[in-house]
């Protein structure tokens, strides 16, 4: 049987998409951050950075940033086309235990997930290789810089993932993670590098901007207002934006645009375009490309309906323990119109913003979600809730270690390349 996907806005889907997403959005406000159990003394790199193993030694050696040819993405290689390859030697890049800053929401093993293969997949692009992630190199590139992830809880997962990927090379007393809502700030002291997360689920302003206590159902988006947010992003060296799931509650959304700020219902696609243009305008006028770089993450796919990959079934991502291997697979949770808007707006910018198009590669990973091994409204699911995956499985957020680590490896590949290009430019400035 061929399933038809012609209705652009099947109500049940949009509704579900959002209500599940919400269950874990409140977490930011409820997590205490404890840094303990860090055991990184044995790492040979640290001896190098911190001077012969004496971690109290004030003299820090700077690593020269050497980027070899095979660490640079080859010209013309599309990193986003490829396949998942099982690799339990190199993956996971860290463990739940080695990353004490991980929040309960994503530590699926600790929360009782019985299978673990989901942590062992490497993304293999078709026509080139991803460079091996090197935390010290990234920290050295980020020396005296700020990097900031802006978006919703999906984006927060990516931030949490990167913080874990970096921790293995930093002694515990040389790092800190602070929560100053709407921000989370990770600092690698010895590098004076700051990696941050900023809660802005619509990017533009809305009545959901309180990171600790946001209205969930009666959302109201201010499509032409961004300055309250953007003034906190202004001087950030590397910015990574994302916004999707919060728009997808109903086909329409209440919003204001222009003056007087009358509330009107907008089609979600129209509203998304207007919001993105407000953002684009800020990018055009505020980003200085000689010292700043901007990325945009495409939508993170959902796996809410198992009939999409297994005809005749009636479940969701629960119980899924391996990726989809059909490379033509495409779920209906990723809205094509929104993708087109993204393409149009990014394509019309004065500034060069790099789209990290992780949608398709993540589309295959029906096994990567927290499912019933996460939280609902800031609390781990109860035994009873776990037995009811139809209502309680979270097929939007991802386990860590897991899929967002690969997004960060791709981001890393781009950061290396940008750094390299900038260095070449500096040493060989154009004639005029
Ligand atoms: C890794 O995978 C191989 C082949 O599937 C398997 O034999 C081996 O036991 C696995 N190792 C670990 C540590 O899981
Ligand atoms: C530390 O980094 C910030 C940017 O995040 C920069 O403004 C400041 O000058 C740096 N401090 C030193 C001592 O270099
Ligand atoms: C959250 O916000 C609502 C509406 O503004 C308010 O009524 C409620 O008291 C707030 N809750 C907390 C815990 O601050
Ligand atoms: C922006 O911040 C100002 C001052 O804090 C506040 O008065 C205003 O309401 C905010 N604007 C929006 C759209 O939230
Ligand atoms: C917009 O707001 C009105 C008034 O609060 C409400 O009745 C309506 O359902 C809202 N529309 C949407 C799409 O949420
Ligand atoms: C809003 O969406 C509906 C249904 O998809 C469509 O018929 C209508 O033309 C759209 N309105 C606008 C203003 O784009
Ligand atoms: C950004 O700048 C480009 C090139 O000048 C222009 O075509 C585009 O319309 C601008 N976008 C916005 C939203 O201002
Ligand atoms: C952009 O930054 C560079 C380096 O800091 C500076 O020299 C230049 O004047 C800036 N350009 C603008 C338009 O502010
Ligand atoms: C989950 O998978 C196991 C093993 O494949 C199977 O026995 C069980 O029936 C599945 N449960 C559900 C709810 O699909
Ligand atoms: C992202 O990739 C998908 C498929 O891999 C493609 O369909 C889509 O158009 C791409 N998005 C943009 C904005 O280029």
């Amino acid at each position: 049987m061929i399933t038809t996907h012609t209705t652009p806005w099947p109500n049940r889907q949009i509704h579900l998409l959002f209500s599940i997403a919400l269950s874990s959005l409140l977490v930011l406000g409820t997590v205490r951050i404890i840094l303990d159990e860090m055991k990184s003394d044995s790492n040979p790199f640290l001896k190098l950075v911190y001077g012969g193993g004496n971690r109290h030694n004030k003299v820090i050696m700077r690593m020269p940033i050497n980027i070899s040819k095979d660490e640079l993405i080859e010209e013309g290689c599309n990193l986003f086309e490829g396949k998942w390859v099982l690799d339990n030697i190199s993956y996971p890049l860290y463990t739940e235990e080695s990353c004490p800053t991980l929040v309960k929401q994503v530590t699926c093993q600790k929360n009782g997930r019985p299978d673990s293969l989901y942590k062992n997949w490497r993304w293999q692009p078709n026509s080139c290789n991803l460079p091996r992630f090197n935390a010290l190199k990234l920290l050295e590139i980020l020396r005296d810089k700020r990097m900031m992830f802006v978006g919703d809880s999906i984006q927060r997962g990516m931030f949490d993932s990167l913080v874990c990927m970096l921790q293995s090379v930093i002694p515990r007393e040389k790092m800190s993670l602070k929560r100053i809502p709407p921000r989370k700030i990770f600092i690698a002291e010895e590098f004076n590098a700051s990696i941050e997360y900023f809660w802005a689920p619509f990017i533009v302003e809305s009545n959901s901007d309180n990171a600790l206590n946001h209205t969930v159902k009666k959302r109201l988006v201010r499509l032409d207002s961004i300055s309250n947010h953007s003034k906190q992003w202004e001087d950030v060296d590397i910015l990574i934006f994302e916004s999707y799931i919060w728009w997808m509650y109903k086909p329409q959304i209440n919003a204001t645009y222009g003056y007087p700020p009358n509330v009107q219902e907008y089609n979600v696609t129209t509203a998304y375009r207007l919001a993105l243009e407000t953002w684009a305008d800020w990018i055009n006028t505020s980003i200085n490309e000689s010292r700043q770089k901007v990325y945009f993450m495409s939508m993170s796919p959902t796996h809410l309906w198992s009939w999409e990959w297994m005809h005749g079934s009636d479940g969701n991502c629960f119980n899924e323990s391996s990726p989809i291997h059909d490379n033509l697979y495409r779920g209906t949770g990723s809205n094509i119109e929104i993708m087109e808007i993204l393409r149009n707006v990014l394509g019309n910018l004065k500034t060069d913003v790099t789209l990290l198009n992780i949608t398709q590669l993540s589309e295959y990973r029906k096994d990567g979600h927290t499912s019933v091994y996460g939280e609902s409204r800031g609390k781990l699911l109860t035994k009873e809730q776990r037995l009811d995956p139809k209502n309680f499985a979270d097929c939007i957020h991802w386990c860590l270690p897991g899929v967002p680590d690969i997004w960060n490896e791709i981001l890393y590949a781009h950061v290396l390349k940008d750094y390299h290009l900038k260095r070449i430019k500096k040493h060989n400035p154009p004639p005029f």
Side-chain angles (χ1 to χ4, degrees):
M1 197 194 96
I2 295 166
T3 330
T4 48
H5 299 164
T6 45
T7 326
W9 292 101
N11 243 322
R12 175 178 155 262
Q13 302 189 358
I14 293 161
H15 196 85
L16 263 176
L17 209 60
F18 193 78
S19 62
I20 298 178
L22 273 185
S23 59
S24 25
L25 290 174
L26 298 166
V27 167
L28 185 66
T30 54
V31 179
R32 263 191 312 144
I33 289 145
I34 304 161
L35 283 168
D36 54 6
E37 299 166 42
M38 298 296 292
K39 293 196 185 69
S40 36
D41 303 61
S42 57
N43 191 314
F45 287 112
L46 288 179
K47 297 219 172 73
L48 186 58
V49 179
Y50 295 98
N54 178 1
R55 288 152 56 185
H56 303 289
N57 188 340
K58 276 267 183 267
V59 185
I60 300 147
M61 289 169 25
R62 297 199 172 200
M63 300 259 294
I65 305 174
N66 295 320
I67 300 174
S68 66
K69 193 156 169 283
D70 59 351
E71 284 180 299
L72 292 170
I73 317 163
E74 279 162 42
E75 203 60 50
C77 172
N78 182 344
L79 288 183
F80 308 103
E81 284 173 6
K83 59 173 192 275
W84 290 97
V85 178
L86 198 55
D87 177 354
N88 64 3
I89 308 289
S90 311
Y91 292 83
L93 297 173
Y94 55 92
T95 64
E96 291 181 4
E97 293 72 32
S98 72
C99 184
T101 56
L102 269 187
V103 295
K104 274 196 311 225
Q105 184 191 357
V106 296
T107 52
C108 298
Q109 296 281 289
K110 204 190 263 173
N111 300 343
R113 181 167 175 166
D115 60 307
S116 64
L117 214 58
Y118 69 91
K119 296 185 288 188
N120 297 127
W121 297 92
R122 178 167 59 80
W123 176 248
Q124 178 61 57
N126 285 338
S127 51
C128 59
N129 294 317
L130 278 172
R132 203 182 166 83
F133 183 78
N134 182 324
L136 278 181
K137 206 171 274 191
L138 182 56
L139 283 167
E140 200 60 73
I141 289 174
L142 295 178
R143 185 181 284 283
D144 297 332
K145 288 193 171 58
R146 287 172 74 196
M147 177 188 229
M148 189 189 275
F149 293 87
V150 177
D152 58 24
S153 56
I154 298 285
Q155 189 75 335
R156 190 173 65 228
M158 188 171 173
F159 163 84
D160 288 336
S161 151
L162 187 61
V163 167
C164 288
M165 287 161 73
L166 294 175
Q167 265 178 43
S168 63
V169 299
I170 313 171
R172 164 175 139 200
E173 70 275 15
K174 301 291 184 196
M175 65 171 125
S176 67
L177 180 60
K178 291 198 195 103
R179 211 162 27 78
I180 306 172
R183 285 198 285 158
K184 275 177 94 171
I185 305 166
F186 177 78
I187 290 177
E189 236 179 72
E190 303 285 29
F191 297 87
N192 185 31
S194 167
I195 293 132
E196 307 174 27
Y197 164 72
F198 187 98
W199 168 261
F202 296 98
I203 298 181
V204 294
E205 289 161 22
S206 75
N207 64 348
S208 307
D209 287 343
N210 186 321
L212 307 183
N213 178 16
H214 33 248
T215 128
V216 159
K217 294 222 163 110
K218 292 199 168 168
R219 81 208 56 192
L220 176 62
V221 186
R222 300 183 186 92
L223 299 174
D224 56 351
S225 303
I226 200 167
S227 58
N228 276 10
H229 290 168
S230 60
K231 64 186 174 215
Q232 306 202 46
W233 312 332
E234 237 148 46
D235 295 319
V236 175
D237 302 276
I238 300 177
L239 278 159
I240 306 121
F241 291 93
E242 178 268 351
S243 176
Y244 176 60
I245 202 89
W246 276 70
W247 298 90
M248 309 304 281
Y249 181 41
K250 290 178 183 168
Q252 271 91 32
I253 190 161
N254 277 322
T256 61
Y257 189 88
Y259 195 84
N262 296 325
V263 178
Q264 271 183 50
E265 284 190 348
Y266 286 78
N267 276 355
V268 159
T269 45
T270 309
Y272 192 89
R273 184 192 307 277
L274 290 171
L276 218 55
E277 278 170 3
T278 299
W279 167 85
D281 189 42
W282 179 78
I283 294 286
N284 262 1
T285 53
S286 309
I287 294 294
N288 181 337
E289 283 191 89
S290 67
R291 55 186 177 77
Q292 289 172 294
K293 176 66 201 170
V294 182
Y295 298 92
F296 203 105
M297 304 301 297
S298 68
M299 61 197 76
S300 163
T302 59
H303 295 89
L304 302 168
W305 311 286
S306 64
W307 51 260
E308 292 191 322
W309 58 86
M310 199 188 342
H311 293 288
S313 64
D314 185 26
N316 51 37
C317 70
F318 172 71
N319 228 11
E320 293 295 344
S321 56
S322 61
I324 294 165
H325 289 295
D326 167 11
N327 62 9
L328 296 176
Y329 176 79
R330 192 179 287 265
T332 55
S334 308
N335 187 278
I336 292 172
E337 284 175 83
I338 296 275
M339 195 60 117
E340 279 309 303
I341 293 168
L342 211 51
R343 185 206 302 283
N344 287 332
V345 174
L346 296 190
N348 276 316
L349 280 168
K350 197 176 77 188
T351 314
D352 180 30
V353 173
T354 303
L355 177 75
L356 301 185
N357 192 349
I358 52 84
T359 303
Q360 187 56 36
L361 68 93
S362 313
E363 204 73 83
Y364 305 126
R365 294 302 306 275
K366 61 181 168 51
D367 59 322
H369 296 285
T370 52
S371 180
V372 297
Y373 309 105
E375 292 181 327
S376 171
R377 298 180 202 290
K379 289 207 177 91
L380 286 181
L381 295 192
T382 63
K383 240 185 204 154
E384 290 69 36
Q385 288 171 332
R386 278 196 191 164
L387 293 174
D388 184 8
K390 262 214 157 108
N391 286 312
F392 288 97
D394 178 344
C395 299
I396 292 176
H397 296 97
W398 306 93
C399 297
L400 289 182
V403 173
D405 304 336
I406 284 27
W407 303 346
N408 277 317
E409 288 192 295
I410 291 171
L411 171 65
Y412 171 71
H414 279 275
V415 169
L416 276 190
K417 186 167 183 183
D418 292 340
Y419 179 85
H420 175 75
L421 292 178
K422 210 164 245 184
R423 188 156 65 179
I424 289 179
K425 220 162 143 189
K426 204 157 108 192
H427 294 306
N428 307 292
F432 287 102

